[in-house]
Amino acid sequence: MNLKKNVAVVAVLGVMLPAGAQDPIIQTRYTADPAPMVYNDTIFLYTTHDEDDADGFKMLDWLLYTSTDMVNWTDHGPVASLQDFSWRSRDNGAWAEHVIERNGKFYMYCPLHGHGIGVLVSDTPYGPFKDPLGKPLVWNKENWYDIDPAVYIDDDGQAYMYWGNPKTFCVRLNEDMISTKGDIMEMDHINDYQEGPWLWARKNAYGEKNYYLAFASTCCPEGIGYAMSKSPTGPWEHKGHIMDHTPRTRGNHPGIIEYKGKSYVFGLNYDLLRLITDEHHERRSVSAAEMKYNPDGTIIEVPYWKDTVLEQIEPFDPYRKVQAETMAWGYGLKTDKLGERNMYVHDIDNGEYIMLRGVDFGKKGAKTFSVDASCVKPGGMIELRLDKADGPVIGRVMIKPTGSIDNYSRFTCKVKGAKGVHDLYLCFSGNGDDLFNLDSWNFKK
């Protein structure tokens, strides 16, 4: 099964989504194992990728999404894959990665299931990533424990890599980030630990520095547990759950960041898959929620994703070039690369839409809307609506044939009634499926 849907179901979601329930933040692909990184005031969210036809784990590459407001995400597509490791011998197994920046370079630590943990390096967070070693960074060939790496750099500059299922391992990294220092340490068992460690440190309200180790708690179903220590190498004291075990999902995998004065926990669920079936397949989806601390530094338990509300950090600016693959909701659509770097939206069917949250049109409002699109069929129409999929129409633009699916043209319409802050819906209509492709759009005052 793929990510296509019943139009009636999505029409309902379009009304419900802004009202509160936290649904998966990515809908155009199945994503898992979130590894968020903050760099230059932007969240870089790296994920694994479950293929649309996966039953068990079918994972071939790693994806990237970015955001500055936590709710509208731009898709950058695959930034690395199994093909980047010449020494691999399996065509499946691109499991949970971690990316960190040091000295202007970006290091992606990648488990190749059954073949240890490799590392890729790039000069930018967008890639391309290259393998500097031509071999695994760590690999215990006697078992398959070497999964789910997470890297943390302490205040003194010492870097550590943690990994493991069902045991937890740690090793110091040299400053080059692609070689190890000293022996691999096996930590004492942490109660409820299963896999997916994530490390960070933070001072509590009394100025005391605490180290945190979050993890996917014992399967199945997995929650998100955590432990605390006064040292990056332990001993670790189990403190409970960031998110408790729940039969509403099966797996989990934490990623935690501080961003613009708030803390966020990322994890995974099967909520996107549940829109089309109750059958179990390994087709997961990433969600996020705000996370808060008690004065002593312990974490206040976060309810299940659908019982939380993910608040937008800042309004979205529509008066700039916006990539069409930027969205808060776009279930049923697909994204792919247009050339080497740029992305585009395709597989656009009658009744589907892109929704962006909290778009700020200003007091005077927008006057025109322009979009770069291509199509070879008769085309279709984009209706611009406010606040819900059947909300007030502020403009309509017709997309006409451009002669080739690769030949993009700009289409423009007048806009009326777009003032203040609203959720924006780009609603698509036309005869049948695969109406046109979209590259980018913008409003003008």
Side-chain angles (χ1 to χ4, degrees), residues 29 47-51 59-63 78-82 94:
R29 301 174 193 253
T47 74
T48 54
H49 173 206
D50 294 330
E51 296 292 330
M59 305 165 69
L60 313 178
D61 52 20
W62 294 276
L63 311 178
V79 292
S81 77
L82 294 174

Side-chain angles (χ1 to χ4, degrees), residues 31-36 46-50 57 59-63 82 85 92-99 108-114 116-118 145-151 161-165 195-198 216 222 252-255 268 284 286:
T31 56
D33 307 316
Y46 299 88
T47 74
T48 54
H49 173 206
D50 294 330
F57 295 112
M59 305 165 69
L60 313 178
D61 52 20
W62 294 276
L63 311 178
L82 294 174
F85 295 98
N92 190 6
W95 283 26
E97 79 303 330
H98 188 100
V99 179
M108 175 181 285
Y109 298 86
C110 304
L112 281 67
H113 191 215
I117 297 171
Y145 297 161
D146 298 336
I147 66 169
D148 297 354
V151 176
M161 184 172 73
Y162 307 78
W163 72 95
N165 172 346
E195 59 188 357
W198 186 276
E222 293 177 345
N252 226 314
H253 189 105
L268 60 87
R284 298 161 293 175
V286 168

Side-chain angles (χ1 to χ4, degrees), residues 41 83 101 109 178 204 208 222 259 263 269 358 376 390 429:
D41 211 31
Q83 303 297 321
E101 182 270 340
Y109 298 86
I178 59 172
N204 63 18
E208 302 165 331
E222 293 177 345
Y259 186 63
S263 296
N269 52 57
V376 293
D390 60 353
S429 61

Side-chain angles (χ1 to χ4, degrees), residues 346-364:
H346 66 101
D347 207 9
I348 297 171
D349 300 341
N350 180 56
E352 297 180 342
Y353 59 78
I354 289 173
M355 187 270 278
L356 294 101
R357 285 177 58 180
V359 177
D360 188 1
F361 294 102
K363 293 182 179 179
K364 293 185 178 180

Side-chain angles (χ1 to χ4, degrees), residues 142-380:
E142 297 177 356
N143 56 58
W144 289 48
Y145 297 161
D146 298 336
I147 66 169
D148 297 354
V151 176
Y152 170 74
I153 303 175
D154 207 356
D155 293 339
D156 62 2
Q158 179 61 60
Y160 301 83
M161 184 172 73
Y162 307 78
W163 72 95
N165 172 346
K167 300 181 178 182
T168 315
F169 300 96
C170 174
V171 70
R172 290 178 173 85
L173 298 178
N174 290 311
E175 189 170 354
D176 65 9
M177 302 298 282
I178 59 172
S179 61
T180 62
K181 179 194 302 184
D183 296 331
I184 293 175
M185 298 169 272
E186 181 179 337
M187 298 185 180
D188 292 337
H189 177 71
I190 301 170
N191 183 43
D192 210 25
Y193 174 90
Q194 181 72 45
E195 59 188 357
W198 186 276
L199 269 288
W200 76 103
R202 178 180 197 279
K203 290 184 179 179
N204 63 18
Y206 314 114
E208 302 165 331
K209 183 178 180 180
N210 293 309
Y211 293 88
Y212 295 81
L213 172 63
F215 49 85
S217 53
T218 310
C219 188
C220 281
E222 293 177 345
I224 299 176
Y226 79 104
M228 294 173 64
S229 176
K230 294 299 181 181
S231 163
T233 57
W236 297 97
E237 181 182 355
H238 181 248
K239 290 294 185 179
H241 292 93
I242 298 173
M243 184 175 291
D244 203 354
H245 305 254
T246 170
R248 297 164 73 178
T249 189
R250 177 180 172 88
N252 226 314
H253 189 105
I256 292 160
I257 56 170
E258 303 268 336
Y259 186 63
K260 296 184 177 179
K262 294 184 177 183
S263 296
Y264 294 94
V265 55
F266 292 73
L268 60 87
N269 52 57
Y270 294 79
D271 290 344
L272 203 63
L273 176 66
R274 295 292 169 258
L275 293 179
I276 58 173
T277 181
D278 290 329
E279 297 177 2
H280 179 71
H281 306 277
E282 291 301 344
R283 304 173 200 170
R284 298 161 293 175
S285 44
V286 168
S287 289
E290 186 177 351
M291 187 180 77
K292 297 182 179 181
Y293 297 83
N294 293 306
D296 65 354
T298 56
I299 297 170
I300 300 172
E301 189 171 303
V302 177
Y304 183 67
W305 311 109
K306 281 186 171 293
D307 298 329
T308 67
V309 177
L310 188 59
E311 300 287 349
Q312 186 169 355
I313 293 176
E314 60 190 20
F316 187 89
D317 176 15
Y319 300 114
R320 57 189 170 96
K321 182 178 181 179
V322 179
Q323 297 298 324
E325 61 277 8
T326 301
M327 60 189 77
W329 190 257
Y331 182 61
L333 306 173
K334 287 294 188 183
T335 60
D336 268 306
K337 294 225 173 176
L338 178 66
E340 186 176 343
R341 295 291 294 274
N342 195 22
M343 298 284 291
Y344 71 103
V345 178
H346 66 101
D347 207 9
I348 297 171
D349 300 341
N350 180 56
E352 297 180 342
Y353 59 78
I354 289 173
M355 187 270 278
L356 294 101
R357 285 177 58 180
V359 177
D360 188 1
F361 294 102
K363 293 182 179 179
K364 293 185 178 180
K367 297 298 183 184
T368 63
F369 170 81
S370 297
V371 60
D372 295 313
S374 71
C375 72
V376 293
K377 292 184 176 182

